[in-house]
């Protein structure tokens, strides 16, 4: 447990779902894609990961949230 606590000091914290949603929403509002546009999804990911370090997010969560926000 002590080793895990020490290692935790060097690992960056993951962004929360709310922070991910906020960044994705900003990108989507700029692009104004059509709902379900799969080409836009690639552009959204490219812009998101150019602004956010992949190690700071759960990539599966980012994918799920991007698809949900794009379909909304």
């Amino acid at each position: 447990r002590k080793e895990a606590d020490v290692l935790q000091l060097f690992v960056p914290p993951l962004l929360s779902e709310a922070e991910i949603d906020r960044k994705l929403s900003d990108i989507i509002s700029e692009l104004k894609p059509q709902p379900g546009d799969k080409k836009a999804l690639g552009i959204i990911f490219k812009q998101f990961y150019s602004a956010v370090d992949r190690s700071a997010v759960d990539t599966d969560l980012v994918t799920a949230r991007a698809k949900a926000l794009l379909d909304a």
Side-chain angles (χ1 to χ4, degrees):
R1 176 74 187 148
K2 288 181 183 181
E3 184 178 351
D5 291 341
V6 171
L7 291 174
Q8 203 60 7
L9 297 172
F10 298 99
V11 177
L14 293 179
L15 292 179
S16 69
E17 186 173 335
E19 291 170 312
I20 291 170
D21 280 359
R22 187 174 49 253
K23 290 182 184 297
L24 288 171
S25 294
D26 290 345
I27 294 167
I28 291 170
S29 68
E30 286 177 24
L31 294 176
K32 297 179 178 55
Q34 296 298 317
D37 183 356
K38 300 303 178 193
K39 290 181 184 178
L41 199 56
I43 296 168
I44 292 166
F45 289 142
K46 184 175 181 177
Q47 288 187 10
F48 181 84
Y49 287 118
S50 70
V52 175
D53 186 1
R54 279 185 188 263
S55 67
V57 295
D58 175 354
T59 56
D60 291 334
L61 177 61
V62 172
T63 300
R65 296 307 304 145
K67 287 179 180 178
L69 290 171
L70 189 57
D71 289 337

